[in-house]
Amino acid sequence: MMTNLIVRWMGIAAFAAALLVGSAARAAEPVGAVAALEGSADVLREGGAWTPLAAGDQIMLGDRVRTAAASKIKILFRDESVMTLAASSEMTVDQQVAAAAPVSRFSLLVGAVRAIVTEAYGTSGASFELETPSAM
């Protein structure tokens, strides 16, 4: 009886660990890359510290990207959309699904951004959202 209880708890613990690893893997999903960088920019990944970015670096789902004064960063996403984050700006990549009807959601925490999206965002079911502190 005690052996069955221990085996059952071990099974529950293994299942919980698999769920945690699975959710961490989804959060670390690459969604784009730094196409160009003028000045300096940093990225904050879940559980980490701010890290400098360079051209070619990957941008992951959940990343928080910020630019320094007199800097800007251009990010090419896997759906071929491009976002340019202006100087002294900060944005989070909340969702980015590359599909026939793509879905993207970003949060601009401070600053300015320019987005150029692909024609695919004109299809039924596609969505591109940029949430800001004052509007969406």
Side-chain angles (χ1 to χ4, degrees), residues 27-109:
E29 178 183 353
V31 295
V34 177
L37 177 62
E38 292 179 22
S40 63
D42 302 306
V43 64
L44 179 64
R45 298 215 158 101
E46 187 175 333
W50 287 103
T51 305
L53 283 167
D57 284 353
Q58 285 191 332
I59 301 297
M60 311 296 266
L61 186 62
D63 277 0
R64 190 168 176 172
V65 178
R66 71 178 178 191
T67 55
S71 300
K72 66 180 178 179
I73 188 170
K74 184 181 286 187
I75 301 169
L76 174 64
F77 288 95
R78 61 186 172 188
D79 67 359
E80 300 299 317
S81 293
V82 178
M83 292 187 74
T84 303
L85 197 58
S88 302
S89 297
E90 194 170 322
M91 160 185 98
T92 302
V93 181
D94 301 314
Q95 183 179 20
Q96 217 284 321
V97 178
V103 176
S104 294
R105 192 175 73 245
F106 305 91
S107 298
L108 182 66
L109 306 169

Side-chain angles (χ1 to χ4, degrees), residues 112-136:
V113 66
R114 177 178 183 226
I116 301 173
V117 299
T118 63
E119 292 179 9
Y121 282 96
T123 61
S124 178
S127 171
F128 186 93
E129 298 178 10
L130 179 64
E131 183 179 339
T132 67
S134 58
M136 182 167 180

